[in-house]
Every structure is written in structure tokens, then in C-alpha cells.
Amino acid sequence: MGKKSSVLFFSLTGAALLVGLYFLLVRTNLHHTILDVVYGTFIRRNAMNESGGTYYSETYIDWPNVKLFLILFAVGVGFVVSIVSYLIYRSRLKKNTQMLAGSIAQFFADPAGMGTGELIIDNELLKIKTNIEHNEELLKRETQRTKDLITYLAHDLKTPLASVIGYLNLMIDSQDLTQAQMNHFLSITLDKSLRLENLINDFFDITRFNLQDIQLYKSELDFVLLLRQLTDEFYPLLKEKKLRLEYHGPDSLKLTADNQQLARVLNNLLKNAISYGTTDSIIQLQLEVEANSLVFSISNQGATIPQKQIDMIFEKFYRLDQSRSTKTGGAGLGLAIAKEIILAHQGTIAAVSEAGITTFHFTLPLHEENA
């Protein structure tokens, strides 16, 4: 129906222009002048003088001028038709765009929206709508986790702080404390102070992770040396839980990476393995080279993590310990940050938990010389 209306409108407009032009020429007598000019352009007349003094004239058509006129006329008609067609097309395109925009707005505003009527467009809109709803749900969950976590951390800050203040006041007010008692109270105060430091670091992690992207400053480093330095720092925690580390892999392996960020990944994975590892067990560290990539894994014995939790373990603010207390868990950012760092290095990271063994493994690209 729309196409027929456009053709009719074009035809009526053209007819009206022709009729108006005709009356304009007739009333102003311009048509005689135009006809004379046309006649003089296309018709030629030559006077011929024959012997004996006889004159006669020869009239003929100037075909080169006729051809030139036809060419110019065709170009002019084509130009006019193109302009009119473009104006009609733009008008209809604007109308269709407005209708489509209205249909899209209604589709997103109304859960039972009918769509645009075009199967391909409706399929794409449905994908976009599903994506938006999924992202909104993830954002709501993350926002709620953030609020809950900040509330828990703020609440848990009070307990160690109260202990620190209490024991310090006790040592100041009590003049007859033995050296053993002083050492005991100082040990407790130090433990609570370290707990306070961990909670404050959790707050900083939340701020850093939400306000900035991870920046990499790459340089050549020895992965094995970095790993040994970090494992030495964890010796007190390992001794406390009677855990042992076993390393299997090369004595040296160089790559180009951000030293501090990679140390942060290893620190988070080691801390996670120690926290959830069974007392008096072995934590396995495995390093290999496969297809020009570094492959590192860390395994600990402990409770098997359900697959549902494994699928969510790298999400921000997700904690395996869902209890309100943050005594044994952090902000739930360690593994999420580790994933972002590995992805920024163009690597991969994943986790598997089966038969009481939980393994985290990641890959990093290597130099060609290490392949």
C-alpha cells in the first residue's frame, strides 16, 4: 500500500508541474521564443547560388545538435528522477525508522512486547534483551554481595579492635603482671592487630578492584624463583597447619610478565590452598611447558567443592564460606583478581574439585626460546 501511494504521489506531482509549466509558457508567449530558439538550433538553412544568377535555399536537420540535446535531456530527466526518488526514499526511511524505534522501545518496555514483525530483527532484539536482563541480575547480585560484605567487615572490625584496646589497657593498668603474662597478652594483641590489617586490606581490595583496571608492567622474570620466594614467606602458616609443599617441575623457567601482579596471583592461590587444605597434608605444586605456554597447578586435600560453587568461584565477592563471619575468609576478591590478572596476561585459569582434591591451574604464554 505504501509503494502504490508513493507512485501515485510522484505521478500527480509530475503532472501538476507539467500543466503549470505549459500555462506559464502560453500566457507569457515564451513558447514562441523557445520554439524559435529550438528551431534555429536544430534546423539549418543554407542559401545556394547557381550559375545564371539563380538562388535557392537548402534546409536540413543539424543532427549533432539533436544528439547533444537528447543526451542533455536524458541526463536532466535522470537527475530530476534521482532527486525525487531520494526525497521519497528518505521520507519513507524516516517513517520506517520511527516505527521501528517505537516497536523496539515497546519491546523492551513491555515484557510481553510483540516485537517489530521482522524475524531476524526480533531474534537479535531478544538476544539483546536476554543479555541485558542477565547483566542486570549479575549486577544486582554483585551489588548485594558488596553491601553484605562491607556490612560484615565493618561489624567484624569491632571485635579485634576491642580486644586490642582491652589488652593494652589491661597491661597499662596491671602493674603486677609476670613476664609470661605480658608475652601472652602481647601475642594476643599482635594476632588481633594482624586480623585488623587483613580486614583493612579487604576494604582496599574492594576499592581498587571496582575503581580501576589492572595495569601491567611486564619484564623478564624467572617463574620458579618467584614461586620459591613466595613459598618461603608462607612457612609460618604451613607450619601452623602442619602442611608441606611438594614442587614438581623445572629448576628455572623465564617469561615476560608483571612480577608484582603474578606474585599476587600465586599469593592468592597459596593462601587459598592453605586456608582450605586439610591439616597434616601435602600441597602439590606442578609446573610444565605445553605448546609454548607455561602451565602451573596447585592442589590441596580437603572437602570436595560442588560443581555449582566451582562455576562461581571466580566471581567477585563470592566466598566458599557463606557464613556471616569473615574470620576464616576474606572479601571474596582473591580468586576474582587472580582471574583478571591471568586474563590480562592473555592466559587462562580454571579450577577442578574431585574426590577431596581441589586443583587450580593457569596458563601463561612463554617466549619462543622456552618452548
Side-chain angles (χ1 to χ4, degrees):
M1 184 65 182
K3 186 176 180 181
K4 292 181 178 179
S5 301
S6 300
V7 173
L8 180 60
F9 172 78
F10 177 74
S11 301
L12 292 177
T13 302
L17 289 174
L18 290 175
V19 171
L21 182 62
Y22 172 76
F23 280 104
L24 176 65
L25 295 175
V26 170
R27 289 186 175 275
T28 58
N29 290 322
L30 285 176
H31 62 292
H32 293 297
T33 304
I34 294 174
L35 289 175
D36 290 341
V37 171
V38 172
Y39 185 83
T41 302
F42 298 138
I43 304 299
R44 298 294 183 182
R45 180 177 295 172
N46 291 331
M48 304 294 292
N49 184 9
E50 291 185 346
S51 58
T54 305
Y55 289 89
Y56 74 96
S57 63
E58 181 183 17
T59 303
Y60 64 94
I61 298 175
D62 191 347
W63 288 110
N65 283 346
V66 172
K67 292 178 181 179
L68 180 61
F69 170 78
L70 292 176
I71 291 173
L72 292 176
F73 179 77
V75 171
V77 171
F79 178 75
V80 172
V81 171
S82 298
I83 292 296
V84 174
S85 300
Y86 169 73
L87 293 176
I88 295 174
Y89 169 76
R90 191 175 68 172
S91 174
R92 289 197 53 78
L93 182 62
K94 182 178 180 181
K95 181 179 179 181
N96 291 337
T97 302
Q98 291 175 345
M99 292 177 59
L100 183 61
S103 300
I104 292 174
Q106 185 178 5
F107 179 82
F108 283 105
D110 183 9
M114 298 302 294
T116 63
E118 296 288 340
L119 183 59
I120 297 177
I121 296 178
D122 287 345
N123 286 337
E124 292 300 319
L125 288 177
L126 186 60
K127 291 179 183 178
I128 295 172
K129 186 176 183 180
T130 304
N131 233 354
I132 292 174
E133 291 175 349
H134 177 68
N135 291 335
E136 287 179 349
E137 180 62 27
L138 289 179
L139 181 61
K140 288 180 182 178
R141 285 164 51 190
E142 182 178 313
T143 303
Q144 188 59 44
R145 285 179 185 170
T146 307
K147 291 180 180 179
D148 292 343
L149 181 63
I150 292 176
T151 302
Y152 300 159
L153 289 174
H155 179 272
D156 288 344
L157 279 171
K158 297 179 182 179
T159 303
L161 181 59
S163 297
V164 170
I165 295 173
Y167 280 107
L168 289 176
N169 285 329
L170 180 61
M171 286 186 287
I172 293 173
D173 296 337
S174 302
Q175 302 297 326
D176 56 347
L177 292 176
T178 64
Q179 187 61 41
Q181 289 175 322
M182 288 285 290
N183 291 338
H184 177 66
F185 293 156
L186 286 173
S187 176
I188 295 176
T189 303
L190 177 61
D191 181 67
K192 299 301 180 182
S193 299
L194 292 174
R195 180 61 191 149
L196 273 174
E197 182 184 29
N198 290 334
L199 291 170
I200 292 171
N201 287 336
D202 287 341
F203 274 117
F204 281 123
D205 276 341
I206 294 172
T207 304
R208 285 196 298 265
F209 195 78
N210 283 321
L211 296 183
Q212 67 179 21
D213 295 329
I214 294 174
Q215 300 294 326
L216 298 182
Y217 302 94
K218 294 184 178 181
S219 61
E220 188 176 72
L221 61 93
D222 190 327
F223 183 86
V224 179
L225 179 60
L226 176 64
L227 182 61
R228 285 174 179 168
Q229 291 173 345
L230 288 172
T231 53
D232 289 342
E233 295 176 7
F234 279 96
Y235 176 76
L237 291 177
L238 292 166
K239 185 178 180 181
E240 182 183 348
K241 291 196 67 174
K242 299 179 180 179
L243 294 170
R244 290 187 296 114
L245 293 177
E246 282 191 3
Y247 169 75
H248 302 277
D251 295 330
S252 177
L253 184 58
K254 293 184 178 181
L255 75 159
T256 301
D258 187 311
N259 185 72
Q260 292 186 353
Q261 297 288 12
L262 194 54
R264 195 175 185 186
V265 173
L266 294 172
N267 182 77
N268 287 335
L269 294 180
L270 284 167
K271 187 183 295 184
N272 188 77
I274 293 172
S275 298
Y276 294 98
T278 303
T279 302
D280 198 17
S281 62
I282 299 174
I283 297 176
Q284 300 283 350
L285 307 177
Q286 182 77 34
L287 179 62
E288 299 174 329
V289 176
E290 295 180 1
N292 201 28
S293 294
L294 174 154
V295 181
F296 176 75
S297 64
I298 176 170
S299 304
N300 67 274
Q301 299 177 23
T304 302
I305 304 174
Q307 186 60 42
K308 182 178 180 181
Q309 289 184 305
I310 287 290
D311 294 338
M312 302 173 64
I313 204 168
F314 291 103
E315 291 186 9
K316 288 186 291 185
F317 309 117
Y318 182 79
R319 299 170 65 243
L320 289 176
D321 180 11
Q322 296 296 330
S323 62
R324 193 192 67 80
S325 174
T326 56
K327 183 177 180 180
T328 58
L333 281 172
L335 294 177
I337 292 174
K339 179 181 178 181
E340 293 299 322
I341 293 173
I342 294 298
L343 292 179
H345 281 86
Q346 307 302 316
T348 61
I349 187 169
V352 178
S353 186
E354 295 177 348
I357 303 294
T358 299
T359 302
F360 287 86
H361 56 86
F362 64 79
T363 65
L364 291 172
L366 285 173
H367 290 309
E368 291 183 1
E369 62 193 43
N370 294 316

